[in-house]
Amino acid sequence: MKKSILIIALLAISCSGCGGGSGIPANVKLAEGLDPSVETVENECAFFYFTWGRTAELDGKFEEAREAYEKALVCDLHAVHVMRRLALLLVNMEKKKEAASWIKRILEEDPDDSSSSAFLANLYVSMEQADKAEQVYLNILEKNPQDTDNMLLLGALYARQKKYAEAEKLLEQLIKLNPDSFIGHQYLAKVYMVTGKAEKARKAFNKALELNWTTFLAFEVATFLGGNGYESEALNLYREILEEDESNERIRTT
């Protein structure tokens, strides 16, 4: 125990000039159960501030955590783990634009970091910057054409932008790679539906139900079937829903 206290005190002394400002008190209390060695930071000064930042973050002291992470990055400009934690923190603080800038810094260090690329694309989507998100997804798929997770996300983005031809092509490619993708079939069915391809939509919806039958999806499919000339199939599906849930008021009022 004494040895641990001594190490923290020595780190505090060695880091007193890092990052400017007044520095962090040597008796900073670590959050219970925190094991900062899980995310290795080589530079001792950066390690100290990273540990302090994680403790503050776990305690809900976000501004304090942000300051500590930024000081860690003054100590070690290439500490990707710190950049990642800072980006996640900034998202929690609703500072997505700043978070995106740190994710881009990570990608400068490692352009092949697909998880960070996907994170950046999702940030762009949440900031309603669809064009930027689309380009990031395309970059991911260029490097890994069989990345069905990001293929699905890009397909959904295309659909929201009403780029139905692009969405259809991509989602069809996805289910060829992964025929058991329930969400892939469901999204593709909806694209077929809005583009007037009723028979293709019917098949895709039925495949989605085959893979993952839920009352909610079954009702959506039955409503589609009933409105597109498949009345007998719709009635059969409504009966199935009632067998699952006899008290379903949505069916009884349809």
Side-chain angles (χ1 to χ4, degrees):
M1 179 66 179
K2 289 182 179 179
K3 184 177 180 181
S4 298
I5 294 173
L6 175 61
I7 291 172
I8 292 174
L10 288 172
L11 284 171
I13 293 170
S14 67
C15 292
S16 61
C18 295
S22 57
I24 309 305
N27 63 347
V28 61
K29 181 181 178 182
L30 296 181
E32 185 177 354
L34 177 64
D35 181 11
S37 64
V38 172
E39 297 184 82
T40 305
V41 180
E42 294 181 0
N43 183 296
E44 287 186 351
C45 171
F47 176 81
F48 172 76
Y49 280 116
F50 172 75
T51 302
W52 174 59
R54 283 294 286 136
T55 302
E57 184 180 356
L58 291 171
D59 286 342
K61 300 174 183 177
F62 289 170
E63 286 293 347
E64 186 177 324
R66 176 181 179 172
E67 178 187 354
Y69 290 146
E70 288 174 347
K71 288 185 176 182
L73 288 165
V74 171
C75 297
D76 184 351
L77 295 173
H78 305 287
V80 169
H81 289 109
V82 182
M83 294 180 202
R84 186 173 291 111
R85 286 276 12 134
L86 178 55
L88 290 168
L89 174 68
L90 289 166
V91 170
N92 287 332
M93 295 172 71
E94 296 296 327
K95 299 180 184 294
K96 295 179 181 178
K97 185 176 180 180
E98 293 179 51
S101 69
W102 283 108
I103 296 299
K104 286 189 281 188
R105 282 277 301 275
I106 292 173
L107 291 171
E108 288 174 6
E109 297 287 334
D110 182 6
D112 294 326
D113 184 345
S114 59
S115 62
S116 291
S117 293
F119 183 21
L120 179 61
N122 291 333
L123 274 178
Y124 283 142
V125 170
S126 69
M127 292 189 290
E128 298 184 355
Q129 297 180 16
D131 290 344
K132 289 184 177 180
E134 178 183 333
Q135 189 55 57
V136 176
Y137 283 132
L138 288 171
N139 289 342
I140 294 171
L141 294 174
E142 184 179 358
K143 294 176 181 178
N144 184 3
Q146 296 191 335
D147 185 338
T148 54
D149 289 336
N150 285 297
M151 199 176 290
L152 178 63
L153 291 170
L154 179 55
L157 178 62
Y158 279 147
R160 285 197 296 273
Q161 293 178 283
K162 298 184 179 180
K163 294 182 177 181
Y164 297 124
E166 292 91 335
E168 180 179 324
K169 180 180 178 181
L170 196 61
L171 292 170
E172 286 178 342
Q173 182 183 350
L174 184 155
I175 62 173
K176 284 180 181 177
L177 291 169
N178 183 11
D180 293 330
S181 174
F182 151 67
I183 300 178
H185 286 286
Q186 186 180 11
Y187 276 26
L188 184 55
K190 291 182 178 183
V191 171
Y192 286 146
M193 184 174 65
V194 298
T195 55
K197 299 175 181 177
E199 179 59 19
K200 285 188 173 183
R202 182 184 72 84
K203 291 179 179 178
F205 270 135
N206 285 335
K207 183 62 178 179
L209 280 175
E210 179 186 322
L211 291 166
N212 187 22
W213 201 100
T214 66
T215 299
F216 182 83
L217 178 59
F219 187 86
E220 180 182 9
V221 175
T223 302
F224 161 75
L225 292 171
N228 287 273
Y230 304 99
E231 289 83 1
S232 61
E233 288 186 46
L235 287 172
N236 289 335
L237 199 47
Y238 284 135
R239 291 190 188 99
E240 287 185 51
I241 296 170
L242 284 174
E243 288 175 6
E244 290 286 326
D245 181 7
E246 293 181 358
S247 63
N248 194 304
E249 291 298 324
R250 295 178 72 188
I251 299 296
R252 296 187 181 280
T253 56
T254 299

